[in-house]
């Protein structure tokens, strides 16, 4: 299924380098606070930093900002303006030649002793090559007049790539006008999965007996995986098969193809607009009634099974087909997951065919057994991720009309270093009443 892989899976964290001298974003001049006057702090005297409320959970996703609060106590005699920095304990390693985090992975504002200083900027350097040295990620805090205590409040609004930052014990360091350290300590940050952005959350479509197509957008929360349904439009009973060719998302991306009763295949491009997710249809061509099953591969491609049980692969619906192989009539249900195929045989056993990922070779690796007992379901539909773990999921409708969610889990595979995503061993109930639909995809 089409989806965007973040650095959560692929990024590596490199062991910490020696803390460099602070040189982050330009500090903001501060209005005067209660200054401590007198001689410089005694040599070797260093104040403390205490975090308020213990470790802070920072959702990496669509949630709003959370606030890190800590207080620095300075020794007597500190003079001049005080600079401060937050510094992570490790450097970041490049992924595929680029940064493992987005350009604005964390957006922060800062205040000190109740005075707001607006935006403060993170520096996120990363190491491209093994011998390269870079400082760890850091945040420049406002420059302020010295005081006995300085109470900092730093908001943190993190996107999904922040998960690579993990659970750092982050250094807080304050220096006086001479560059001497006058207070230091650590604050605990835990970057945890948050709600994925709309274009990384799945969407499910269902057609009722009147031919109306409905859309269920993923919420990113598996305890309530779908938002209230939206009406796409009527007239979809004109089609004998409908399937996504790109993974549909809550953001309105992802196209689909539909075959009418005359065997003509039509393409509906995704618009990127959730309220009107599909552009007007385009005609692909005729002759598609020769196939008993059509399933998109999630990468704009299509697999089609003919009446003789031969499976064919179209790299996209507008190109020449390629023969995958025979024997596919043994399956009575086909759907896609993570760019591969899930196939249920007549005995109720579910099999996974992982995508091979090369052209013009066969699109699938040899099958792997998922498990038995799947013949209790009247419909199976693979989806883009519905939770927060980056694995695509599967929904299944039973004979009573109840819809169940199987979260995807990644298991080792002899064919891929990424592993294979398959439906997990446990299911959760989405809700009842799904027998009102004659097609779910």
């Amino acid at each position: 299924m089409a989806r965007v892989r973040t650095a959560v899976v692929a990024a590596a964290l490199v062991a910490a380098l020696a803390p460099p001298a602070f040189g982050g974003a330009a500090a903001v001049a501060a209005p005067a606070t209660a200054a401590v006057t007198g001689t410089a702090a005694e040599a070797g005297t260093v104040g403390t930093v205490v975090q308020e409320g213990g470790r802070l959970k920072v959702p990496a996703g669509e949630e709003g900002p959370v606030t890190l609060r800590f207080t620095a106590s300075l020794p007597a005699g500190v003079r001049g303006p005080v600079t401060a920095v937050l510094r992570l304990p490790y450097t970041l390693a490049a992924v595929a030649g680029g940064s493992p985090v987005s350009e604005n992975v964390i957006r922060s504002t800062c205040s000190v002793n109740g005075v707001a200083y607006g935006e403060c900027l993170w520096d996120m350097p990363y190491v491209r090559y093994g011998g390269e040295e870079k400082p760890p990620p850091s945040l420049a805090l406002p420059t302020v007049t010295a005081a006995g205590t300085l109470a900092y409040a730093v908001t943190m609004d993190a996107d999904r790539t922040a998960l690579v930052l993990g659970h750092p014990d982050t250094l807080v360091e304050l220096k006086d006008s001479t560059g001497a350290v006058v207070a230091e300590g650590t604050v605990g940050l835990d970057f945890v999965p948050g709600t994925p952005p709309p274009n990384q959350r799945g969407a499910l479509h269902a057609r009722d007996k009147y031919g109306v197509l409905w859309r269920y957008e993923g919420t990113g929360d598996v305890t309530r995986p779908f938002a209230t349904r939206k009406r796409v439009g009527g007239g979809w009973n004109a089609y004998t098969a409908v399937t996504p060719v790109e993974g549909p998302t809550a953001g309105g991306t992802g196209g689909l193809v539909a075959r009418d009763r005359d065997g003509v295949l039509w393409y509906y491009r995704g618009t990127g607009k959730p309220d009107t997710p599909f552009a007007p249809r385009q005609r692909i061509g005729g002759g598609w009634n020769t196939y008993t099953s059509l399933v998109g591969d999630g990468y704009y491609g299509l697999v089609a099974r003919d009446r003789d049980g031969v499976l064919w692969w179209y790299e996209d619906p507008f190109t020449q087909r390629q023969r995958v192989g025979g024997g596919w009539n043994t399956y009575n249900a086909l759907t896609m997951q993570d760019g591969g195929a899930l196939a249920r045989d007549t005995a109720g056993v579910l099999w996974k065919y992982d995508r091979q990922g090369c052209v013009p070779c066969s699109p699938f690796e040899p099958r792997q057994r998922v498990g038995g007992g799947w013949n209790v379901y009247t419909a199976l539909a693979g989806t883009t991720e519905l939770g927060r773990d980056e694995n695509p999921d599967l929904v299944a409708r039973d004979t009573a009309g109840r819809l169940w969610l199987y979260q995807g889990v990644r298991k080792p595979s002899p064919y891929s270093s990424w592993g294979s995503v398959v439906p997990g061993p446990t299911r959760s109930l989405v809700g009842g009443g799904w027998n009102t639909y004659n097609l779910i995809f």
Side-chain angles (χ1 to χ4, degrees):
M1 254 174 217
R3 60 196 172 89
V4 178
R5 287 191 188 275
T6 68
V8 175
V9 176
L13 297 177
V14 180
L17 303 174
F22 171 64
V28 180
T33 59
V36 176
T37 59
T39 62
E42 294 182 7
T45 303
V46 177
T48 60
V49 172
V50 177
Q51 183 174 4
E52 179 182 322
R55 299 185 68 88
L56 179 69
K57 287 187 177 180
V58 184
E62 291 291 287
E63 287 79 0
V66 294
T67 302
L68 169 67
R69 301 181 188 276
F70 59 90
T71 299
S73 298
L74 275 59
V78 176
R79 66 174 60 183
V82 174
T83 59
V85 64
L86 295 180
R87 187 180 295 116
L88 269 60
Y90 39 66
T91 55
L92 298 178
V95 176
S99 175
V101 297
S102 68
E103 183 178 358
N104 295 307
V105 55
I106 307 173
R107 297 161 297 280
S108 291
T109 61
C110 296
S111 64
V112 187
N113 286 350
V115 178
Y117 291 88
E119 183 181 15
C120 44
L121 301 178
W122 285 85
D123 183 29
M124 289 279 175
Y126 59 94
V127 177
R128 286 182 180 271
Y129 308 106
E132 190 178 29
E133 291 188 2
K134 289 287 182 69
S138 61
L139 174 66
L141 299 172
T143 299
V144 296
T145 303
T149 59
L150 296 172
Y152 291 84
V154 181
T155 65
M156 295 190 177
D157 187 1
D159 70 23
R160 206 174 190 198
T161 63
L163 280 177
V164 73
L165 302 177
H167 306 273
D169 292 323
T170 304
L171 175 69
V172 181
E173 187 177 70
L174 286 76
K175 294 182 178 181
D176 66 12
S177 59
T178 70
V181 175
V182 294
E184 65 181 4
T186 60
V187 293
L189 301 176
D190 294 316
F191 292 93
V192 298
T195 303
N199 285 352
Q200 294 179 30
R201 300 197 305 265
L204 188 70
H205 294 88
R207 183 185 66 188
D208 67 24
K209 64 182 179 180
Y210 303 106
V212 176
L213 191 66
W214 299 90
R215 174 179 173 84
Y216 291 82
E217 294 172 1
T219 63
D221 180 355
V222 294
T223 65
R224 48 174 193 88
F226 297 115
T228 303
R229 69 179 187 175
K230 295 179 179 179
R231 190 180 192 273
V232 176
W236 289 80
N237 269 347
Y239 299 118
T240 58
V242 185
T243 183
V245 288
E246 306 143 303
T249 73
T253 60
L256 58 82
V257 294
R259 181 187 62 195
D260 66 24
R261 290 183 174 83
D262 294 325
V264 176
L265 196 67
W266 301 88
Y267 172 57
Y268 289 83
R269 178 181 56 81
T271 63
K273 301 175 182 178
D275 292 335
T276 54
F278 303 118
R281 67 182 189 176
Q282 298 174 252
R283 189 181 192 274
I284 294 175
W288 290 80
N289 271 344
T290 189
Y291 298 118
T292 60
S293 181
L294 298 174
V295 181
D297 72 356
Y299 292 91
Y300 193 59
L302 188 67
V303 292
R305 182 186 61 194
D306 66 24
R307 293 183 180 87
D308 296 322
V310 176
L311 195 70
W312 301 88
W313 178 45
Y314 293 82
E315 186 181 351
D316 69 59
F318 305 95
T319 61
Q320 293 295 315
R321 66 182 187 176
Q322 175 187 336
R323 191 180 193 273
V324 176
W328 286 77
N329 271 344
T330 189
Y331 301 119
N332 57 24
L334 291 171
T335 189
M336 285 292 161
Q337 187 183 52
D338 196 33
L342 288 170
R344 182 187 62 192
D345 65 25
T346 54
V349 176
L350 193 66
W351 301 88
K352 175 66 183 291
Y353 289 83
D354 282 317
R355 181 177 175 86
Q356 194 168 37
C358 63
V359 177
C361 57
S362 172
F364 301 126
E365 302 286 1
R367 70 180 188 175
Q368 299 181 70
R369 191 180 193 271
V370 176
W374 289 83
N375 49 9
V376 299
Y377 297 118
T378 59
L380 302 174
T383 72
T384 307
E385 175 188 13
L386 296 174
R388 300 179 178 184
D389 58 6
E390 294 208 306
N391 294 328
D393 303 310
L394 177 76
V395 293
R397 182 188 62 194
D398 65 22
T399 55
R402 294 172 298 187
L403 194 70
W404 299 89
L405 169 64
Y406 287 84
Q407 290 184 259
V409 296
R410 193 171 295 275
K411 294 185 174 182
S413 169
Y415 308 109
S416 171
S417 59
W418 289 98
S420 175
V421 176
V422 298
T426 59
R427 65 181 186 176
S428 58
L429 181 64
V430 176
W434 287 77
N435 271 345
T436 190
Y437 300 119
N438 56 32
L439 184 62
I440 298 173
F441 59 90

